[in-house]
């Protein structure tokens, strides 16, 4: 294995303050605002006061993810989300939730909402690697040190996170390729966000392909879709190792919506439903 960037110090420097103070991940704390996100869940009659509080908090303090989502999600949706999370949290028993899926599938976006809904800390693997390597971006790491260096450090991040509890971890799209990474993720619950490639291509093009080194030679929709298809053909089996799957195609049918119009809140709810079904099934099997 090439010289990997030792995470012993830099990585633990990022985690240690969280472990010692027991603080929820600073990212969530930075996102949370003067209003406790639990208070978002009110009867619709309070929605005006909540909305005004949310909008005022978003002026003077960076709004929490739920609050910002609340601006696009109804109070009823947020209430359903929080109620489901309370059910799931009991069965989760502190186990970490790992989101896997192709680049652009919404792991980082949904991960933040899921963490705040569960009252878990949130980590994004790519961001941890960038922070531990002195702020170098993922694209720069690929360019300057190569993909193997990146993958070695991705494995080290997952190994260290697997020692912790009550985390939502958004992995990078290629984390599923190494069996050792599954050994770490299988200590928790892994959920595959399965998004049709055409929807992925649209999102990634809208976001810009520069930040994704495995794509950035591609320009234009067809080339990006072709590249994503090649990657997916190689990885489909790996994503299938996840303990649960959230298919956006299925959500689209259930909600009679176009896949591209399914919101992160709706996906987060489906993640919770799939985890709930899985854990209740596991519990019933154990009882038998
Ligand atoms: N449900 C969604 N609908 C539309 N766009 C989304 C959705 N979820 C995420 N996105 C957008 O897609 C892009 C990739 O999302 P991100 O969370 O970074 O995915 P990943 O971490 O899986 O690569 C971002 O621009 C994000 O705003
Ligand atoms: O699919 C992949 O191999 C990658 C996905 C990226 O993460 P996202 O899935 O968050 O874009 C990032 O880890 C890197 O560019 C490699
Ligand atoms: Mg991501």
């Amino acid at each position: 294995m090439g010289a990997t960037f030792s995470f012993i110090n830099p990585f633990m420097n990022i985690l240690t303050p969280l472990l010692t103070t027991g603080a929820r991940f600073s990212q969530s704390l930075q996102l949370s605002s003067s209003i406790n996100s639990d208070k978002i869940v009110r009867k619709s009659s309070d929605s005006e006061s909540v909305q005004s509080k949310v909008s005022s908090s978003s002026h003077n303090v960076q709004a929490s993810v739920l609050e910002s989502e609340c601006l696009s999600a109804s109070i009823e949706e947020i209430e359903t989300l929080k109620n489901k999370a309370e059910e799931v949290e009991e069965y989760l028993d502190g186990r970490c939730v790992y989101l896997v899926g192709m680049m652009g599938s919404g792991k980082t976006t949904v991960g933040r909402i899921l963490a705040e809904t569960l009252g878990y800390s949130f980590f994004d693997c790519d961001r941890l690697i960038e922070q531990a390597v002195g702020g170098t971006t993922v694209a720069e790491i690929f360019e300057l040190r190569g993909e193997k260096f990146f993958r070695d450090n991705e494995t080290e991040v997952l190994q260290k996170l697997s020692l912790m509890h009550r985390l939502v971890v958004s992995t990078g799209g290629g984390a599923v390729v190494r069996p050792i990474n599954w050994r770490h993720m299988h200590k928790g619950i892994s959920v595959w966000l399965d998004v049709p490639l055409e929807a992925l291509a649209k999102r990634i093009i809208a976001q810009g392909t520069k930040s994704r080194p495995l794509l950035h030679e591609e320009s234009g929709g067809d080339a990006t879709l072709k590249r994503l298809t090649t990657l997916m053909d190689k990885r489909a089996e790996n994503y299938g190792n996840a303990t649960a799957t959230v298919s956006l195609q299925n959500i689209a049918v259930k909600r009679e919506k176009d896949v591209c119009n399914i919101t992160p809140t709706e996906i987060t709810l489906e993640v919770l439903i799939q985890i709930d079904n899985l854990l209740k099934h596991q519990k019933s099997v154990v009882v038998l």
Side-chain angles (χ1 to χ4, degrees), residues 16-35:
T16 306
L18 303 173
L19 299 172
T20 45
T21 61
R24 291 203 343 225
F25 181 42
S26 55
Q27 206 168 347
S28 307
L29 292 182
Q30 280 158 7
L31 290 173
S32 63
S33 75
S34 51
I35 305 171

Side-chain angles (χ1 to χ4, degrees), residues 101-109 122 124-127 170-173 207 212:
M102 283 286 283
M103 54 182 93
S105 55
K107 302 181 296 295
T108 301
T109 304
F122 172 71
D124 184 287
C125 281
D126 286 349
R127 299 300 79 78
S170 292
T171 65
Q207 194 180 20
R212 293 184 167 92

Side-chain angles (χ1 to χ4, degrees), residues 100-108 124-127 129 138-139 142 147 150-151 154 170-175 177 204 207 211-215 228 231 235 239:
V100 301
M102 283 286 283
M103 54 182 93
S105 55
K107 302 181 296 295
T108 301
D124 184 287
C125 281
D126 286 349
R127 299 300 79 78
I129 294 169
V138 167
F142 268 72
E147 180 170 0
F150 176 84
R151 297 294 175 208
E154 186 172 53
S170 292
T171 65
V177 173
I204 287 174
Q207 194 180 20
S211 62
R212 293 184 167 92
L214 292 180
L215 279 185
L228 287 170
L231 276 173
R235 295 176 176 178
Y239 289 123

Side-chain angles (χ1 to χ4, degrees), residues 13 15 33 80-81 93 133 161 189 197 212 221 234 240 254 264-266 274 282 287:
N13 286 348
L15 284 180
S33 75
T80 307
L81 209 53
D93 199 22
V133 189
L161 291 172
I189 305 276
L197 293 175
R212 293 184 167 92
K234 284 185 195 157
K254 192 157 72 169
T265 309
E266 288 170 332
Q274 292 302 325
Q282 281 179 349
V287 165

Side-chain angles (χ1 to χ4, degrees), residues 198-216:
E198 296 74 9
L200 285 188
K202 266 191 202 159
R203 291 180 186 179
I204 287 174
I205 290 163
Q207 194 180 20
T209 56
K210 268 262 170 274
S211 62
R212 293 184 167 92
L214 292 180
L215 279 185
H216 71 131

Side-chain angles (χ1 to χ4, degrees), residues 113-154:
I113 303 169
L114 182 64
E116 189 152 345
T117 307
L118 283 170
Y120 275 28
S121 296
F122 172 71
F123 283 114
D124 184 287
C125 281
D126 286 349
R127 299 300 79 78
L128 284 177
I129 294 169
E130 289 176 338
Q131 286 166 11
V133 189
T136 317
T137 66
V138 167
E140 287 161 346
I141 294 171
F142 268 72
E143 190 185 342
L144 301 172
R145 303 298 300 269
E147 180 170 0
K148 185 183 178 308
F149 175 86
F150 176 84
R151 297 294 175 208
D152 291 346
N153 288 290
E154 186 172 53

